Each structure stands twice: as C-alpha cells, then as structure tokens.
Amino acid sequence: MTEELLINVTPQETRVATVENGMLTEIWIERARKIGRVGTIFQGTVKRVLPGMEAAFVDIGLEKAAFLHVSDVQTPPAREGEATETSISRLLSEGQTLAVQVTKDPLGTKGARVTSKLTVPSRYLVMMPYEDNIGVSIRIDNDDERDRLRSLIEQLRGEDSTRGYIVRTAAEGVEAQALQADIEYLGKAWNGVMERRKTKKPGEVIFRDLPLVQRMMRDLNRGNIERIRIDSRETYAQCVTFCNEYVPELARCLEHYPGERPIFDLHGVEDEIDKALNKRVELKSGGHLVIDQTESMTTIDVNTGGFVGKHNLEETIFKTNLEAAQAIARQLRLRNLGGIIIIDFIDMSVLEHRRQVLRALEKALEKDHARTQVNEVSPLGLVEMTRKRTRESLEQVLCSECSVCDGRGMQKTLETVGFEISREIIRQVRQFDIDSVTVLASSEVVEWFSEERSDDLAELQDFVEVPIRLQAEQFYTREHYDVVLQ
C-alpha cells in the first residue's frame, strides 16, 4: 500500500489529503480563523466546580468554558501510606489558576475537553513531565522491539527519571542517538512551558503545537509515503527546512506542484469531499450505505439496492456486506466520524458469514490512525463500535445547521404548511373582529394555494366570511409565513 500526500495552501486555509492507491482516505482542514486547539496548553481559571459530576468548568479564553473531569486532574504524588485524593472539590476551587491542555476540540454545543496532566510531543516521543512511567505505542507489536525501546528510554532519561515518556509508533527501529536528541528537545520545550506559565495571564496560550503541515510530517507513518506534493512554494520551502532538520527521510518525497490546475482537482479530491457530505454512499455492486450523523451517535444502514447477485439471496447479502465493511472503514476515516457508531448490516442467516463480515471490518479498521473498538453482532443484528473523537467531523467543519429545516434534514410539505395557514386564519378570525386577511408566504406556497388548492381557498373564505389575499414574499422560506389582519 502506497500513500501520497496532497497539500493545498491558501491564505485562508490549509488542506491535507491522504490518497492511498489513488483513493482519498483522509482529509485534514485547518482554517486561519479556526485553528484546531488539541495539544495547546492554556493558562486557565476554574469557573465552576461540580461535585455531583466530579468535574469542573475551566475558562481558557474560548467562547465556551472547557470541561475538566477529576480523572484528568494532575494530583500531587501521595506520601507513603496515604491514599491519592480523588474528590474534585478537594483538588480544585473556584477562581483557582491552573495550566490545562486541550484533548478534544469544542464539538457542536460542547466546550473543549481538557486535562491538567500536561504532555509535550516530539517526533518519536511524548513527554509526560508529571509521570515517571514509560509506555510504548500499541502499534509496535514486536515484543523484542518494545523491550528494546523501553530499555533505551530508561537509560537515556538519566537524571530526568521523574519524567515519563510514551514511545510513538515512528520510533520503531530508531537508534539511541535519535531518541536522545528527542529527549533533549523535549526537555528544552518543557522548560519553556514552565517559564511562560509564570508570566501568562488566564486565557492566554502557554504552548502551541506545530502548524498542520509540519505536524503531519512529524506524525506520519513514513514507511508508506511515496510522494508529498505541495502547491505553495513558501510552504514547500518551510517543509524542506523542517524535514531536513527533523525527518530527513521525508525530504526526498517532497515535491512542489506549480501547475495551474488546482492540485485537488487533478486527483479528484474535491469531488470525493463533496460525496463525503452526502448521506448516501454508493457501492460498486449496486448496493449503498446511508450514513446519519447526530450529536449522540452515528448510524450506518447497509442496503442491497440494485444488486441481485448471480446465485442466491444469501450470497448477495454476504457480498454486499463484505463490500460495505470496506466502504464503512474508509468513510469513518474520510468523514472523521467518532463516538458511538451503530452499523446495521443486512441480516445474514449463516453464522460464518457474520464472522467473516465482522473480521473484514476489523481488518479494514487496522489502517485507521484513530483508536477503534468493535463489538460482536448484537441479538438485533447490529454491530456496535466506537472510534476515538478528538476533532470535528468533516461535516461539522464544512457545514452549518440549515436555517430552513433547523438541522432536521427535512422540511414540511406544501400541503402541511397550507393547512397550518388555514388553521391560523380560522384561529385569528374567531379571536378578533376583522375585515380582511392577508397571507404573506413564499412564492411556492402562494402558487399552491392559488393554483392547486384554489377551491379550498374559496371554501375557507366562505367559512370565515372575510376576504383572504395572498402575497408572495421573495425572502420567505417554505415554512415561514405571516397572517396579517386588517
């Protein structure tokens, strides 16, 4: 499997697309006025302590206060024989100033999620200054390599034995010298954080991670990258400098794209992004997925559609579900769907088919950078899974709630709106002594009344015994109307 990175840069936004074997699999978008804050350390102020929830709200200078759970509060080391304090009301008090790090960006109506267990990332390591343990990425599955890396870090941290480290996937096979350089860099970075904490005011940034493009270079699984194409000469020059210093093996992959045709158009990325905003996803077999994203969970329904198979119904269902498993894994990454996900595969009567579809889904999800957990098929035939959510989904980044339907994804029929208007006219006439009624509505509602339901309008006029006049308003939506009494 080969990966290609396409980077599109404008003054307003930066977009990074991952293309695997010619197919778009992931997209990151960072807008100049709405930069993601995961990893950023703020000087915060405790606004409210909620003992019932064992949590607190912390003002970090954003529109909404951030949420800090007691499990994310850094506690002082317990003395020998003492239990660690776990009550939020004993650990924090209103008005208290503390440094917190964003672990989840604000999503929808929720503020950011933060922790006071601060970390600082580098190319191969993540330093945990308040911990003393050493962890190794679960993606490094060779036990000998895990032991080697853990022993190396134990030796290299030396006097900094009170600081803990997480060894990142990129460190697999890396020599001691490179790890030593990372530890020294992290030490300097942390000292800078400590100095800035002394001078920063509440709501100000103490530490900010790298910009999107450099962050991608640092965190990439470099073994699969074949080419990195950048359409900005300035960003390309910055990446060359960054790669030469920190990730020299990527320098050979960098390529400036000077073409007049937009780089995303050249590879069909724009079309794929548009498709990823639709609820319906077509499968090659003729089946399709229907993806519904809500605030609480995402549901995915699998349908055979026009696929009838060559032999029997069970084979048709099995093949559709197998194809759907691959498509679902890709759509989760592409749309960046997180939280609880419920998949309704087409019912399969053969137990072995169920197992194979579930294994196919799990195997396809192995490519996902986000942590996932898949449960067995439920008695109702549903697959329940979770995917770690740390940033907004593609839909949340690119779309806003519809002002016409208030986010329902539906609007009332002309008949429904027409009957509502009729009832409102009757209600008003019974309440007030009036001479006439004027209905202000959208042009399509006025046309429906005057053309399709002119008889009903005449009957309503006779019933209320006052003349009814219709007036089309250019900027009214279908469900927006006013009944004016005269």
Side-chain angles (χ1 to χ4, degrees):
M1 180 185 70
T2 59
E3 286 187 22
E4 185 174 353
L5 232 63
L6 307 177
I7 301 175
N8 166 235
V9 182
T10 64
Q12 293 80 29
E13 72 175 357
T14 299
R15 300 186 299 171
V16 180
T18 302
V19 178
E20 294 180 4
N21 299 325
M23 183 176 290
L24 177 68
T25 54
E26 288 185 84
I27 181 82
W28 290 264
I29 299 173
E30 188 171 84
R31 290 178 169 166
R33 295 191 178 185
K34 195 180 179 183
I35 294 176
R37 298 180 178 88
V38 172
T40 302
I41 300 176
F42 289 89
Q43 190 80 295
T45 305
V46 179
K47 285 298 181 185
R48 289 181 64 196
V49 177
L50 308 171
M53 294 175 63
E54 287 295 346
F57 285 108
V58 182
D59 182 6
I60 57 174
L62 303 182
E63 184 180 348
K64 294 173 183 170
F67 182 81
L68 174 64
H69 190 262
V70 68
S71 61
D72 293 317
V73 177
Q74 180 61 45
T75 56
R79 296 175 183 175
E80 192 173 345
E82 289 185 358
T84 304
E85 182 56 64
T86 57
S87 170
I88 193 75
S89 55
R90 291 181 180 272
L91 293 171
L92 299 176
S93 57
E94 292 185 10
Q96 179 181 343
T97 299
L98 77 165
V100 292
Q101 189 166 30
V102 177
T103 57
K104 286 186 180 180
D105 275 324
L107 294 170
T109 58
K110 299 176 183 177
R113 179 86 183 240
V114 295
T115 177
S116 63
K117 298 176 179 179
L118 309 182
T119 60
V120 182
S122 67
R123 182 185 174 196
Y124 299 122
L125 305 170
V126 176
M127 184 175 74
M128 303 177 292
Y130 299 130
E131 308 285 341
D132 62 0
N133 58 303
I134 297 171
V136 180
S137 167
I138 59 173
R139 291 185 181 271
I140 300 176
D141 51 13
N142 184 292
D143 290 338
D144 292 338
E145 178 64 7
R146 293 175 67 86
D147 293 340
R148 181 188 77 89
L149 289 168
R150 190 176 279 108
S151 299
L152 261 181
I153 298 301
E154 189 66 62
Q155 295 169 18
L156 293 172
R157 67 177 177 172
E159 296 178 359
D160 289 334
S161 58
T162 56
R163 293 176 181 174
Y165 294 90
I166 297 172
V167 182
R168 308 181 75 166
T169 311
E172 188 170 10
V174 168
E175 298 301 322
Q177 188 176 357
L179 296 174
Q180 178 67 51
D182 255 24
I183 288 176
E184 291 174 2
Y185 162 78
L186 288 171
K188 292 175 184 176
W190 178 245
N191 290 336
V193 169
M194 295 298 286
E195 286 299 316
R196 288 190 290 275
R197 283 181 68 176
K198 298 174 184 177
T199 58
K200 292 293 183 181
K201 298 176 182 177
E204 292 185 340
V205 173
I206 297 172
F207 169 84
R208 181 177 277 118
D209 204 356
L210 294 168
L212 174 63
V213 175
Q214 285 90 331
R215 201 163 66 241
M216 292 294 298
M217 305 289 170
R218 181 193 67 193
D219 297 344
L220 278 172
N221 180 4
R222 286 169 281 280
N224 297 329
I225 295 296
E226 186 178 73
R227 185 167 59 169
I228 301 171
R229 306 185 77 187
I230 307 168
D231 65 3
S232 161
R233 190 175 297 278
E234 182 182 353
T235 304
Y236 169 73
Q238 292 170 355
C239 288
V240 169
T241 302
F242 179 82
C243 287
N244 284 336
E245 185 172 355
Y246 295 104
V247 277
E249 65 269 33
L250 278 184
R252 62 175 178 77
C253 303
L254 295 173
E255 178 184 313
H256 175 241
Y257 172 72
E260 291 184 5
R261 188 179 177 189
I263 191 170
F264 275 21
D265 285 357
L266 193 68
H267 292 77
V269 173
E270 297 288 10
D271 290 339
E272 288 297 313
I273 292 173
D274 284 341
K275 289 179 184 177
L277 296 176
N278 293 330
K279 290 173 60 172
R280 184 172 168 131
V281 178
E282 300 295 338
L283 302 176
K284 290 181 179 178
S285 64
H288 64 270
L289 311 176
V290 177
I291 302 176
D292 276 306
Q293 183 182 348
T294 68
E295 192 168 343
S296 58
M297 70 174 68
T298 297
T299 61
I300 303 176
D301 187 32
V302 183
N303 297 285
T304 55
F307 183 45
V308 295
K310 294 182 179 179
H311 299 289
N312 55 54
L313 179 61
E314 183 61 34
E315 178 198 86
T316 300
I317 290 171
F318 177 50
K319 287 185 175 179
T320 303
N321 281 339
L322 278 177
E323 186 185 358
Q326 300 291 328
I328 288 168
R330 175 176 175 254
Q331 290 296 323
L332 293 181
R333 294 173 65 189
L334 179 56
R335 298 170 186 240
N336 193 34
L337 299 173
I340 299 171
I341 299 160
I342 307 294
I343 305 170
D344 185 8
F345 285 108
I346 307 165
D347 290 340
M348 294 170 282
S349 57
V350 180
L351 187 60
E352 182 57 29
H353 286 177
R354 292 188 189 181
R355 290 200 189 101
Q356 287 188 43
V357 168
L358 201 61
R359 297 295 88 80
L361 176 64
E362 290 172 339
K363 186 170 180 58
L365 288 170
E366 289 176 2
K367 304 173 186 175
D368 201 332
H369 303 296
R371 189 170 69 246
T372 58
Q373 179 179 333
V374 182
N375 294 329
E376 295 296 324
V377 180
S378 75
L380 293 176
L382 305 174
V383 173
E384 301 169 1
M385 65 168 288
T386 59
R387 183 174 185 270
K388 186 174 174 62
R389 174 167 52 193
T390 57
R391 58 191 173 97
E392 292 179 308
S393 69
L394 185 65
E395 182 182 273
Q396 290 168 327
V397 171
L398 298 181
C399 303
S400 63
E401 190 174 275
C402 174
S403 59
V404 174
C405 67
D406 293 327
R408 300 193 311 269
M410 303 284 284
Q411 62 175 340
K412 295 176 182 176
T413 65
L414 289 171
E415 190 173 48
T416 300
V417 175
F419 291 167
E420 281 184 8
I421 292 172
S422 299
R423 288 194 297 270
E424 182 62 22
I425 290 172
I426 294 170
R427 187 181 299 114
Q428 296 290 352
V429 168
R430 285 177 175 173
Q431 242 182 321
F432 303 102
D433 184 16
I434 56 176
D435 296 323
S436 67
V437 173
T438 300
V439 176
L440 309 179
S442 68
S443 58
E444 61 175 349
V445 171
V446 170
E447 287 175 12
W448 180 84
F449 259 124
S450 56
E451 295 179 11
E452 291 187 36
R453 296 300 180 98
S454 56
D455 292 346
D456 290 350
L457 183 63
E459 188 177 331
L460 176 64
Q461 198 165 237
D462 291 341
F463 180 74
V464 296
E465 298 181 338
V466 294
I468 300 172
R469 190 168 71 90
L470 303 175
Q471 181 176 319
E473 293 293 327
Q474 181 181 357
F475 299 107
Y476 277 30
T477 62
R478 177 183 291 186
E479 296 182 19
H480 183 190
Y481 62 83
D482 290 303
V483 176
V484 181
L485 310 180
Q486 293 165 334

